[in-house]
Amino acid sequence: MIIRTETTADYSKVFQVNYEAFRNREDEPKLVEKIRESKQFIPELSLVAEENNEILGHLLLSKAEVINKNISHEVIVLAPIAVKPEFQNKGIGSQLIQEGLRRCRDLGYGIVLLIGHPTYYPRFGFKPARRYGLELKQFNVSDEVFMVCELIDGKLDRIKGELRYPDTFFKI
Ligand SMILES: CC(C)(COP(=O)(O)OP(=O)(O)OC[C@H]1O[C@@H](n2cnc3c(N)ncnc32)[C@H](O)[C@@H]1OP(=O)(O)O)[C@@H](O)C(=O)NCCC(=O)NCCS
């Protein structure tokens, strides 16, 4: 299996992976399409896991902002991640996330934020975000599911404020 950057030729297969992983609902695959069309999209942060010419998993990381009074920090949000149901629990999601975080760091991004399963993401370095002075008001979620991963030492001390997901996330 390889992890590589998504190409336009993968789009329909990536739709299918997200559709199946999210229990045959179209919200997440449509969110992927919207993010691709937005200015927050970074092509090399849309990753696929491929084996035998089949797309087994997909991860999308894209730009968002943390706003503190009139200061805006560009950050990355992880959403969505999807692995085909019959290929889950084989480490594919982990490989996608590890490669995705490595690429974010290489691009110079200091922190990655997400809303997700509190038992899954801590293994990659994610920690509850609110205790670091990060806030989320757009979604009413508990402290343990709103998480942050520091990629560059010291960035968590410097980036404080409210995470704002782009409008794309609300117009599906
Ligand atoms: C979440 C997901 C991407 C993980 O990918 P994966 O390839 O199955 O994960 P890995 O094989 O790398 O890791 C397996 C671990 O993830 C855990 N896991 C899988 N789905 C989980 C879930 N919904 N909640 C919590 N933990 C989950 C497994 O219990 C396993 O834990 P263990 O290593 O302690 O046994 C995949 O299960 C998926 O597509 N789920 C449906 C879509 C979804 O919920 N996406 C995330 C939205 S935040």
Side-chain angles (χ1 to χ4, degrees), residues 1-7 10 13-14 16-18 44-60 80-84 87-88 90-100 103 120:
M1 195 199 58
I2 58 158
I3 307 288
R4 62 166 174 80
T5 305
E6 177 194 56
T7 70
D10 300 319
K13 287 178 180 172
V14 167
Q16 192 61 24
V17 168
N18 280 280
E44 59 264 52
L45 296 184
S46 189
L47 302 181
V48 293
E50 182 185 50
E51 190 169 64
N52 298 329
N53 222 13
E54 196 183 346
I55 303 295
L56 308 181
H58 172 249
L59 166 67
L60 187 52
I81 177 165
V83 173
K84 276 196 169 185
F87 293 97
Q88 289 176 7
K90 297 176 188 294
I92 295 172
S94 296
Q95 287 190 53
L96 282 165
I97 292 170
Q98 282 156 1
E99 175 63 12
R103 289 184 181 205
Y120 185 56

mmCIF file of all heavy atoms in Angstrom, residues 1-7 10 13-14 16-18 44-60 80-84 87-88 90-100 103 120:
data_model
loop_
_atom_site.group_PDB
_atom_site.id
_atom_site.type_symbol
_atom_site.label_atom_id
_atom_site.label_comp_id
_atom_site.label_asym_id
_atom_site.label_seq_id
_atom_site.Cartn_x
_atom_site.Cartn_y
_atom_site.Cartn_z
ATOM 1 N N MET A 1 0.829 -1.203 0.000
ATOM 2 C CA MET A 1 0.000 0.000 0.000
ATOM 3 C C MET A 1 0.866 1.257 0.000
ATOM 4 O O MET A 1 1.883 1.293 0.673
ATOM 5 C CB MET A 1 -0.875 0.007 1.246
ATOM 6 C CG MET A 1 -1.998 0.998 1.136
ATOM 7 S SD MET A 1 -2.700 1.421 2.718
ATOM 8 C CE MET A 1 -1.320 2.047 3.606
ATOM 9 N N ILE A 2 0.440 2.249 -0.750
ATOM 10 C CA ILE A 2 1.185 3.513 -0.749
ATOM 11 C C ILE A 2 0.266 4.667 -0.321
ATOM 12 O O ILE A 2 -0.958 4.598 -0.506
ATOM 13 C CB ILE A 2 1.800 3.838 -2.132
ATOM 14 C CG1 ILE A 2 0.723 3.902 -3.236
ATOM 15 C CG2 ILE A 2 2.870 2.829 -2.512
ATOM 16 C CD1 ILE A 2 1.147 4.705 -4.442
ATOM 17 N N ILE A 3 0.892 5.662 0.266
ATOM 18 C CA ILE A 3 0.184 6.912 0.583
ATOM 19 C C ILE A 3 0.720 7.941 -0.402
ATOM 20 O O ILE A 3 1.934 8.116 -0.521
ATOM 21 C CB ILE A 3 0.498 7.390 2.023
ATOM 22 C CG1 ILE A 3 0.239 6.297 3.065
ATOM 23 C CG2 ILE A 3 -0.261 8.682 2.336
ATOM 24 C CD1 ILE A 3 -1.187 5.975 3.352
ATOM 25 N N ARG A 4 -0.188 8.574 -1.127
ATOM 26 C CA ARG A 4 0.264 9.569 -2.111
ATOM 27 C C ARG A 4 -0.732 10.717 -2.196
ATOM 28 O O ARG A 4 -1.855 10.631 -1.676
ATOM 29 C CB ARG A 4 0.441 8.902 -3.494
ATOM 30 C CG ARG A 4 -0.830 8.332 -4.079
ATOM 31 C CD ARG A 4 -0.683 8.005 -5.554
ATOM 32 N NE ARG A 4 -1.855 7.332 -6.092
ATOM 33 C CZ ARG A 4 -2.979 7.937 -6.455
ATOM 34 N NH1 ARG A 4 -3.124 9.239 -6.309
ATOM 35 N NH2 ARG A 4 -3.989 7.240 -6.940
ATOM 36 N N THR A 5 -0.294 11.768 -2.877
ATOM 37 C CA THR A 5 -1.167 12.917 -3.090
ATOM 38 C C THR A 5 -2.318 12.516 -4.021
ATOM 39 O O THR A 5 -2.110 11.821 -5.022
ATOM 40 C CB THR A 5 -0.362 14.066 -3.735
ATOM 41 O OG1 THR A 5 0.767 14.339 -2.913
ATOM 42 C CG2 THR A 5 -1.193 15.326 -3.884
ATOM 43 N N GLU A 6 -3.506 12.956 -3.680
ATOM 44 C CA GLU A 6 -4.676 12.723 -4.536
ATOM 45 C C GLU A 6 -4.501 13.447 -5.872
ATOM 46 O O GLU A 6 -3.929 14.541 -5.918
ATOM 47 C CB GLU A 6 -5.900 13.269 -3.807
ATOM 48 C CG GLU A 6 -7.190 13.174 -4.568
ATOM 49 C CD GLU A 6 -8.271 14.042 -3.935
ATOM 50 O OE1 GLU A 6 -8.056 15.268 -3.772
ATOM 51 O OE2 GLU A 6 -9.326 13.502 -3.597
ATOM 52 N N THR A 7 -4.994 12.835 -6.941
ATOM 53 C CA THR A 7 -5.036 13.520 -8.237
ATOM 54 C C THR A 7 -6.507 13.643 -8.666
ATOM 55 O O THR A 7 -7.388 12.980 -8.097
ATOM 56 C CB THR A 7 -4.281 12.733 -9.334
ATOM 57 O OG1 THR A 7 -5.037 11.547 -9.637
ATOM 58 C CG2 THR A 7 -2.886 12.339 -8.883
ATOM 59 N N ASP A 10 -8.605 10.624 -9.134
ATOM 60 C CA ASP A 10 -9.069 9.859 -7.958
ATOM 61 C C ASP A 10 -10.424 10.339 -7.444
ATOM 62 O O ASP A 10 -11.011 9.689 -6.568
ATOM 63 C CB ASP A 10 -8.069 10.027 -6.793
ATOM 64 C CG ASP A 10 -6.675 9.543 -7.116
ATOM 65 O OD1 ASP A 10 -6.564 8.488 -7.761
ATOM 66 O OD2 ASP A 10 -5.711 10.215 -6.712
ATOM 67 N N LYS A 13 -13.411 7.963 -6.915
ATOM 68 C CA LYS A 13 -13.106 6.899 -5.948
ATOM 69 C C LYS A 13 -13.032 7.459 -4.526
ATOM 70 O O LYS A 13 -13.440 6.812 -3.568
ATOM 71 C CB LYS A 13 -11.781 6.215 -6.305
ATOM 72 C CG LYS A 13 -11.869 5.304 -7.519
ATOM 73 C CD LYS A 13 -10.509 4.720 -7.831
ATOM 74 C CE LYS A 13 -10.574 3.808 -9.052
ATOM 75 N NZ LYS A 13 -9.231 3.380 -9.481
ATOM 76 N N VAL A 14 -12.505 8.652 -4.393
ATOM 77 C CA VAL A 14 -12.426 9.287 -3.078
ATOM 78 C C VAL A 14 -13.837 9.603 -2.563
ATOM 79 O O VAL A 14 -14.129 9.438 -1.374
ATOM 80 C CB VAL A 14 -11.540 10.561 -3.147
ATOM 81 C CG1 VAL A 14 -11.695 11.422 -1.897
ATOM 82 C CG2 VAL A 14 -10.081 10.159 -3.346
ATOM 83 N N GLN A 16 -16.426 7.837 -3.178
ATOM 84 C CA GLN A 16 -16.964 6.545 -2.760
ATOM 85 C C GLN A 16 -16.399 6.103 -1.397
ATOM 86 O O GLN A 16 -17.129 5.602 -0.545
ATOM 87 C CB GLN A 16 -16.652 5.492 -3.837
ATOM 88 C CG GLN A 16 -17.380 4.182 -3.670
ATOM 89 C CD GLN A 16 -18.899 4.314 -3.739
ATOM 90 O OE1 GLN A 16 -19.424 5.274 -4.333
ATOM 91 N NE2 GLN A 16 -19.611 3.390 -3.101
ATOM 92 N N VAL A 17 -15.111 6.333 -1.181
ATOM 93 C CA VAL A 17 -14.490 5.971 0.100
ATOM 94 C C VAL A 17 -15.165 6.748 1.240
ATOM 95 O O VAL A 17 -15.534 6.177 2.272
ATOM 96 C CB VAL A 17 -12.966 6.266 0.078
ATOM 97 C CG1 VAL A 17 -12.372 6.170 1.477
ATOM 98 C CG2 VAL A 17 -12.251 5.312 -0.868
ATOM 99 N N ASN A 18 -15.336 8.048 1.042
ATOM 100 C CA ASN A 18 -15.971 8.862 2.086
ATOM 101 C C ASN A 18 -17.434 8.483 2.272
ATOM 102 O O ASN A 18 -17.943 8.438 3.395
ATOM 103 C CB ASN A 18 -15.831 10.350 1.758
ATOM 104 C CG ASN A 18 -14.461 10.888 2.136
ATOM 105 O OD1 ASN A 18 -14.193 11.192 3.291
ATOM 106 N ND2 ASN A 18 -13.570 10.975 1.159
ATOM 107 N N GLU A 44 -1.422 19.117 -1.894
ATOM 108 C CA GLU A 44 -0.583 18.043 -1.333
ATOM 109 C C GLU A 44 -1.025 17.582 0.044
ATOM 110 O O GLU A 44 -0.447 16.639 0.594
ATOM 111 C CB GLU A 44 0.903 18.423 -1.336
ATOM 112 C CG GLU A 44 1.263 19.667 -0.561
ATOM 113 C CD GLU A 44 1.343 20.906 -1.445
ATOM 114 O OE1 GLU A 44 0.379 21.176 -2.202
ATOM 115 O OE2 GLU A 44 2.362 21.618 -1.358
ATOM 116 N N LEU A 45 -2.075 18.217 0.595
ATOM 117 C CA LEU A 45 -2.621 17.750 1.871
ATOM 118 C C LEU A 45 -3.936 16.992 1.679
ATOM 119 O O LEU A 45 -4.703 16.803 2.619
ATOM 120 C CB LEU A 45 -2.802 18.917 2.842
ATOM 121 C CG LEU A 45 -1.506 19.618 3.278
ATOM 122 C CD1 LEU A 45 -1.798 20.694 4.322
ATOM 123 C CD2 LEU A 45 -0.475 18.623 3.817
ATOM 124 N N SER A 46 -4.211 16.580 0.445
ATOM 125 C CA SER A 46 -5.304 15.638 0.191
ATOM 126 C C SER A 46 -4.634 14.320 -0.197
ATOM 127 O O SER A 46 -4.066 14.199 -1.284
ATOM 128 C CB SER A 46 -6.220 16.144 -0.929
ATOM 129 O OG SER A 46 -7.373 15.325 -1.024
ATOM 130 N N LEU A 47 -4.663 13.373 0.724
ATOM 131 C CA LEU A 47 -3.879 12.144 0.579
ATOM 132 C C LEU A 47 -4.778 10.936 0.372
ATOM 133 O O LEU A 47 -5.859 10.848 0.973
ATOM 134 C CB LEU A 47 -3.055 11.893 1.843
ATOM 135 C CG LEU A 47 -2.083 12.981 2.271
ATOM 136 C CD1 LEU A 47 -1.339 12.561 3.534
ATOM 137 C CD2 LEU A 47 -1.080 13.223 1.169
ATOM 138 N N VAL A 48 -4.302 10.015 -0.446
ATOM 139 C CA VAL A 48 -5.021 8.747 -0.600
ATOM 140 C C VAL A 48 -4.105 7.579 -0.233
ATOM 141 O O VAL A 48 -2.878 7.661 -0.379
ATOM 142 C CB VAL A 48 -5.555 8.534 -2.043
ATOM 143 C CG1 VAL A 48 -6.636 9.552 -2.367
ATOM 144 C CG2 VAL A 48 -4.439 8.568 -3.074
ATOM 145 N N ALA A 49 -4.738 6.525 0.265
ATOM 146 C CA ALA A 49 -4.054 5.248 0.483
ATOM 147 C C ALA A 49 -4.489 4.337 -0.660
ATOM 148 O O ALA A 49 -5.690 4.124 -0.870
ATOM 149 C CB ALA A 49 -4.465 4.656 1.828
ATOM 150 N N GLU A 50 -3.509 3.829 -1.398
ATOM 151 C CA GLU A 50 -3.831 3.058 -2.601
ATOM 152 C C GLU A 50 -3.135 1.698 -2.568
ATOM 153 O O GLU A 50 -1.972 1.591 -2.183
ATOM 154 C CB GLU A 50 -3.361 3.825 -3.834
ATOM 155 C CG GLU A 50 -3.688 3.135 -5.152
ATOM 156 C CD GLU A 50 -3.098 3.871 -6.348
ATOM 157 O OE1 GLU A 50 -1.895 4.195 -6.315
ATOM 158 O OE2 GLU A 50 -3.837 4.127 -7.295
ATOM 159 N N GLU A 51 -3.879 0.696 -2.987
ATOM 160 C CA GLU A 51 -3.291 -0.632 -3.150
ATOM 161 C C GLU A 51 -3.960 -1.303 -4.342
ATOM 162 O O GLU A 51 -5.197 -1.272 -4.462
ATOM 163 C CB GLU A 51 -3.506 -1.477 -1.888
ATOM 164 C CG GLU A 51 -2.702 -2.767 -1.912
ATOM 165 C CD GLU A 51 -2.713 -3.454 -0.543
ATOM 166 O OE1 GLU A 51 -3.802 -3.869 -0.105
ATOM 167 O OE2 GLU A 51 -1.648 -3.541 0.077
ATOM 168 N N ASN A 52 -3.149 -1.920 -5.193
ATOM 169 C CA ASN A 52 -3.668 -2.604 -6.387
ATOM 170 C C ASN A 52 -4.642 -1.734 -7.169
ATOM 171 O O ASN A 52 -5.732 -2.183 -7.554
ATOM 172 C CB ASN A 52 -4.358 -3.919 -5.994
ATOM 173 C CG ASN A 52 -3.394 -4.875 -5.330
ATOM 174 O OD1 ASN A 52 -2.201 -4.866 -5.646
ATOM 175 N ND2 ASN A 52 -3.897 -5.673 -4.402
ATOM 176 N N ASN A 53 -4.267 -0.473 -7.323
ATOM 177 C CA ASN A 53 -5.093 0.447 -8.109
ATOM 178 C C ASN A 53 -6.440 0.780 -7.469
ATOM 179 O O ASN A 53 -7.324 1.341 -8.118
ATOM 180 C CB ASN A 53 -5.329 -0.141 -9.510
ATOM 181 C CG ASN A 53 -5.208 0.908 -10.577
ATOM 182 O OD1 ASN A 53 -4.728 2.010 -10.317
ATOM 183 N ND2 ASN A 53 -5.689 0.575 -11.775
ATOM 184 N N GLU A 54 -6.584 0.433 -6.202
ATOM 185 C CA GLU A 54 -7.840 0.720 -5.501
ATOM 186 C C GLU A 54 -7.559 1.751 -4.403
ATOM 187 O O GLU A 54 -6.529 1.673 -3.730
ATOM 188 C CB GLU A 54 -8.368 -0.570 -4.858
ATOM 189 C CG GLU A 54 -9.823 -0.492 -4.453
ATOM 190 C CD GLU A 54 -10.296 -1.770 -3.761
ATOM 191 O OE1 GLU A 54 -9.585 -2.795 -3.840
ATOM 192 O OE2 GLU A 54 -11.356 -1.722 -3.129
ATOM 193 N N ILE A 55 -8.466 2.722 -4.251
ATOM 194 C CA ILE A 55 -8.324 3.711 -3.174
ATOM 195 C C ILE A 55 -9.027 3.146 -1.935
ATOM 196 O O ILE A 55 -10.235 2.893 -1.934
ATOM 197 C CB ILE A 55 -8.949 5.072 -3.565
ATOM 198 C CG1 ILE A 55 -8.326 5.614 -4.867
ATOM 199 C CG2 ILE A 55 -8.781 6.081 -2.427
ATOM 200 C CD1 ILE A 55 -6.870 5.974 -4.793
ATOM 201 N N LEU A 56 -8.219 2.955 -0.866
ATOM 202 C CA LEU A 56 -8.749 2.347 0.365
ATOM 203 C C LEU A 56 -9.035 3.389 1.441
ATOM 204 O O LEU A 56 -9.832 3.136 2.353
ATOM 205 C CB LEU A 56 -7.750 1.327 0.933
ATOM 206 C CG LEU A 56 -7.227 0.258 -0.032
ATOM 207 C CD1 LEU A 56 -6.278 -0.679 0.693
ATOM 208 C CD2 LEU A 56 -8.393 -0.517 -0.639
ATOM 209 N N GLY A 57 -8.356 4.534 1.350
ATOM 210 C CA GLY A 57 -8.539 5.548 2.373
ATOM 211 C C GLY A 57 -8.200 6.921 1.841
ATOM 212 O O GLY A 57 -7.521 7.061 0.814
ATOM 213 N N HIS A 58 -8.695 7.940 2.556
ATOM 214 C CA HIS A 58 -8.474 9.331 2.134
ATOM 215 C C HIS A 58 -8.395 10.216 3.374
ATOM 216 O O HIS A 58 -9.140 9.998 4.346
ATOM 217 C CB HIS A 58 -9.633 9.798 1.236
ATOM 218 C CG HIS A 58 -9.595 11.256 0.911
ATOM 219 N ND1 HIS A 58 -10.513 12.162 1.405
ATOM 220 C CD2 HIS A 58 -8.726 11.968 0.158
ATOM 221 C CE1 HIS A 58 -10.203 13.373 0.948
ATOM 222 N NE2 HIS A 58 -9.140 13.282 0.193
ATOM 223 N N LEU A 59 -7.496 11.191 3.312
ATOM 224 C CA LEU A 59 -7.368 12.182 4.388
ATOM 225 C C LEU A 59 -7.284 13.563 3.769
ATOM 226 O O LEU A 59 -6.538 13.765 2.804
ATOM 227 C CB LEU A 59 -6.080 11.931 5.195
ATOM 228 C CG LEU A 59 -5.635 13.067 6.130
ATOM 229 C CD1 LEU A 59 -6.617 13.251 7.281
ATOM 230 C CD2 LEU A 59 -4.241 12.783 6.677
ATOM 231 N N LEU A 60 -8.032 14.493 4.331
ATOM 232 C CA LEU A 60 -7.964 15.876 3.870
ATOM 233 C C LEU A 60 -7.603 16.794 5.038
ATOM 234 O O LEU A 60 -8.241 16.742 6.100
ATOM 235 C CB LEU A 60 -9.310 16.292 3.268
ATOM 236 C CG LEU A 60 -9.366 17.653 2.593
ATOM 237 C CD1 LEU A 60 -8.272 17.837 1.561
ATOM 238 C CD2 LEU A 60 -10.728 17.856 1.938
ATOM 239 N N PRO A 80 -12.216 15.583 6.251
ATOM 240 C CA PRO A 80 -12.449 14.362 7.010
ATOM 241 C C PRO A 80 -11.333 13.348 6.775
ATOM 242 O O PRO A 80 -10.460 13.562 5.941
ATOM 243 C CB PRO A 80 -13.762 13.851 6.389
ATOM 244 C CG PRO A 80 -13.733 14.334 4.977
ATOM 245 C CD PRO A 80 -12.899 15.590 4.959
ATOM 246 N N ILE A 81 -11.416 12.257 7.531
ATOM 247 C CA ILE A 81 -10.588 11.079 7.234
ATOM 248 C C ILE A 81 -11.529 9.899 7.094
ATOM 249 O O ILE A 81 -12.500 9.776 7.853
ATOM 250 C CB ILE A 81 -9.506 10.819 8.301
ATOM 251 C CG1 ILE A 81 -8.721 9.528 7.948
ATOM 252 C CG2 ILE A 81 -10.071 10.770 9.709
ATOM 253 C CD1 ILE A 81 -7.429 9.343 8.696
ATOM 254 N N ALA A 82 -11.248 9.065 6.113
ATOM 255 C CA ALA A 82 -12.153 7.942 5.838
ATOM 256 C C ALA A 82 -11.360 6.742 5.323
ATOM 257 O O ALA A 82 -10.472 6.895 4.481
ATOM 258 C CB ALA A 82 -13.180 8.360 4.781
ATOM 259 N N VAL A 83 -11.690 5.589 5.846
ATOM 260 C CA VAL A 83 -11.124 4.327 5.352
ATOM 261 C C VAL A 83 -12.298 3.415 5.019
ATOM 262 O O VAL A 83 -13.277 3.344 5.780
ATOM 263 C CB VAL A 83 -10.195 3.687 6.413
ATOM 264 C CG1 VAL A 83 -9.739 2.298 5.974
ATOM 265 C CG2 VAL A 83 -8.979 4.578 6.670
ATOM 266 N N LYS A 84 -12.224 2.751 3.888
ATOM 267 C CA LYS A 84 -13.316 1.853 3.485
ATOM 268 C C LYS A 84 -13.603 0.864 4.613
ATOM 269 O O LYS A 84 -12.662 0.288 5.181
ATOM 270 C CB LYS A 84 -12.922 1.070 2.231
ATOM 271 C CG LYS A 84 -13.155 1.823 0.958
ATOM 272 C CD LYS A 84 -13.106 0.850 -0.215
ATOM 273 C CE LYS A 84 -13.606 1.534 -1.475
ATOM 274 N NZ LYS A 84 -13.694 0.620 -2.602
ATOM 275 N N PHE A 87 -11.641 -2.264 5.165
ATOM 276 C CA PHE A 87 -10.192 -2.131 5.340
ATOM 277 C C PHE A 87 -9.833 -1.372 6.619
ATOM 278 O O PHE A 87 -8.672 -1.024 6.834
ATOM 279 C CB PHE A 87 -9.568 -1.432 4.115
ATOM 280 C CG PHE A 87 -9.647 -2.269 2.868
ATOM 281 C CD1 PHE A 87 -10.670 -2.073 1.946
ATOM 282 C CD2 PHE A 87 -8.715 -3.268 2.634
ATOM 283 C CE1 PHE A 87 -10.757 -2.857 0.799
ATOM 284 C CE2 PHE A 87 -8.793 -4.060 1.493
ATOM 285 C CZ PHE A 87 -9.815 -3.853 0.574
ATOM 286 N N GLN A 88 -10.821 -1.119 7.477
ATOM 287 C CA GLN A 88 -10.539 -0.405 8.725
ATOM 288 C C GLN A 88 -9.800 -1.310 9.710
ATOM 289 O O GLN A 88 -9.823 -2.532 9.601
ATOM 290 C CB GLN A 88 -11.853 0.108 9.343
ATOM 291 C CG GLN A 88 -12.438 1.255 8.522
ATOM 292 C CD GLN A 88 -13.790 1.753 9.009
ATOM 293 O OE1 GLN A 88 -14.287 1.338 10.052
ATOM 294 N NE2 GLN A 88 -14.398 2.650 8.230
ATOM 295 N N LYS A 90 -6.654 -1.691 10.078
ATOM 296 C CA LYS A 90 -5.432 -2.310 9.524
ATOM 297 C C LYS A 90 -4.282 -1.300 9.488
ATOM 298 O O LYS A 90 -3.266 -1.546 8.841
ATOM 299 C CB LYS A 90 -5.695 -2.819 8.102
ATOM 300 C CG LYS A 90 -6.745 -3.925 7.998
ATOM 301 C CD LYS A 90 -6.976 -4.267 6.527
ATOM 302 C CE LYS A 90 -8.153 -5.214 6.324
ATOM 303 N NZ LYS A 90 -7.924 -6.537 6.905
ATOM 304 N N GLY A 91 -4.482 -0.171 10.121
ATOM 305 C CA GLY A 91 -3.396 0.814 10.177
ATOM 306 C C GLY A 91 -3.401 1.836 9.049
ATOM 307 O O GLY A 91 -2.501 2.683 8.980
ATOM 308 N N ILE A 92 -4.378 1.776 8.164
ATOM 309 C CA ILE A 92 -4.395 2.706 7.017
ATOM 310 C C ILE A 92 -4.637 4.145 7.490
ATOM 311 O O ILE A 92 -3.933 5.077 7.079
ATOM 312 C CB ILE A 92 -5.448 2.264 5.980
ATOM 313 C CG1 ILE A 92 -5.045 0.907 5.393
ATOM 314 C CG2 ILE A 92 -5.600 3.321 4.882
ATOM 315 C CD1 ILE A 92 -6.090 0.272 4.500
ATOM 316 N N GLY A 93 -5.613 4.310 8.383
ATOM 317 C CA GLY A 93 -5.886 5.645 8.921
ATOM 318 C C GLY A 93 -4.645 6.216 9.591
ATOM 319 O O GLY A 93 -4.304 7.389 9.407
ATOM 320 N N SER A 94 -3.951 5.391 10.347
ATOM 321 C CA SER A 94 -2.735 5.851 11.046
ATOM 322 C C SER A 94 -1.678 6.306 10.049
ATOM 323 O O SER A 94 -1.037 7.354 10.240
ATOM 324 C CB SER A 94 -2.152 4.724 11.903
ATOM 325 O OG SER A 94 -3.060 4.366 12.915
ATOM 326 N N GLN A 95 -1.468 5.544 9.002
ATOM 327 C CA GLN A 95 -0.447 5.932 8.012
ATOM 328 C C GLN A 95 -0.817 7.237 7.319
ATOM 329 O O GLN A 95 0.050 8.081 7.052
ATOM 330 C CB GLN A 95 -0.272 4.826 6.968
ATOM 331 C CG GLN A 95 0.459 3.613 7.516
ATOM 332 C CD GLN A 95 0.822 2.638 6.401
ATOM 333 O OE1 GLN A 95 1.438 3.006 5.416
ATOM 334 N NE2 GLN A 95 0.423 1.395 6.569
ATOM 335 N N LEU A 96 -2.103 7.409 7.016
ATOM 336 C CA LEU A 96 -2.549 8.658 6.384
ATOM 337 C C LEU A 96 -2.277 9.846 7.310
ATOM 338 O O LEU A 96 -1.772 10.888 6.878
ATOM 339 C CB LEU A 96 -4.049 8.572 6.055
ATOM 340 C CG LEU A 96 -4.434 7.767 4.821
ATOM 341 C CD1 LEU A 96 -5.936 7.468 4.828
ATOM 342 C CD2 LEU A 96 -4.067 8.517 3.533
ATOM 343 N N ILE A 97 -2.616 9.677 8.587
ATOM 344 C CA ILE A 97 -2.450 10.795 9.527
ATOM 345 C C ILE A 97 -0.967 11.109 9.726
ATOM 346 O O ILE A 97 -0.560 12.278 9.709
ATOM 347 C CB ILE A 97 -3.149 10.485 10.870
ATOM 348 C CG1 ILE A 97 -4.669 10.455 10.658
ATOM 349 C CG2 ILE A 97 -2.774 11.523 11.934
ATOM 350 C CD1 ILE A 97 -5.469 9.934 11.837
ATOM 351 N N GLN A 98 -0.139 10.072 9.886
ATOM 352 C CA GLN A 98 1.289 10.326 10.098
ATOM 353 C C GLN A 98 1.908 11.060 8.901
ATOM 354 O O GLN A 98 2.660 12.023 9.061
ATOM 355 C CB GLN A 98 2.024 9.017 10.387
ATOM 356 C CG GLN A 98 1.797 8.566 11.825
ATOM 357 C CD GLN A 98 1.966 7.078 12.039
ATOM 358 O OE1 GLN A 98 2.286 6.335 11.106
ATOM 359 N NE2 GLN A 98 1.748 6.639 13.262
ATOM 360 N N GLU A 99 1.563 10.619 7.708
ATOM 361 C CA GLU A 99 2.095 11.291 6.515
ATOM 362 C C GLU A 99 1.523 12.711 6.402
ATOM 363 O O GLU A 99 2.238 13.658 6.038
ATOM 364 C CB GLU A 99 1.780 10.467 5.261
ATOM 365 C CG GLU A 99 2.182 11.115 3.948
ATOM 366 C CD GLU A 99 3.682 11.358 3.780
ATOM 367 O OE1 GLU A 99 4.482 10.827 4.569
ATOM 368 O OE2 GLU A 99 4.050 12.094 2.832
ATOM 369 N N GLY A 100 0.239 12.851 6.707
ATOM 370 C CA GLY A 100 -0.394 14.172 6.630
ATOM 371 C C GLY A 100 0.263 15.155 7.589
ATOM 372 O O GLY A 100 0.566 16.300 7.225
ATOM 373 N N ARG A 103 3.689 16.199 6.370
ATOM 374 C CA ARG A 103 3.614 17.192 5.285
ATOM 375 C C ARG A 103 3.271 18.578 5.831
ATOM 376 O O ARG A 103 3.796 19.589 5.369
ATOM 377 C CB ARG A 103 2.587 16.760 4.242
ATOM 378 C CG ARG A 103 3.052 15.556 3.430
ATOM 379 C CD ARG A 103 2.057 15.217 2.339
ATOM 380 N NE ARG A 103 2.487 14.060 1.571
ATOM 381 C CZ ARG A 103 2.117 13.812 0.331
ATOM 382 N NH1 ARG A 103 1.288 14.643 -0.293
ATOM 383 N NH2 ARG A 103 2.535 12.739 -0.309
ATOM 384 N N TYR A 120 -8.923 7.931 19.613
ATOM 385 C CA TYR A 120 -8.133 7.611 18.423
ATOM 386 C C TYR A 120 -6.954 8.560 18.236
ATOM 387 O O TYR A 120 -5.813 8.127 18.035
ATOM 388 C CB TYR A 120 -9.032 7.631 17.184
ATOM 389 C CG TYR A 120 -8.335 7.196 15.902
ATOM 390 C CD1 TYR A 120 -7.698 5.969 15.815
ATOM 391 C CD2 TYR A 120 -8.309 8.031 14.795
ATOM 392 C CE1 TYR A 120 -7.059 5.563 14.654
ATOM 393 C CE2 TYR A 120 -7.686 7.633 13.617
ATOM 394 C CZ TYR A 120 -7.052 6.405 13.551
ATOM 395 O OH TYR A 120 -6.414 6.013 12.400
#
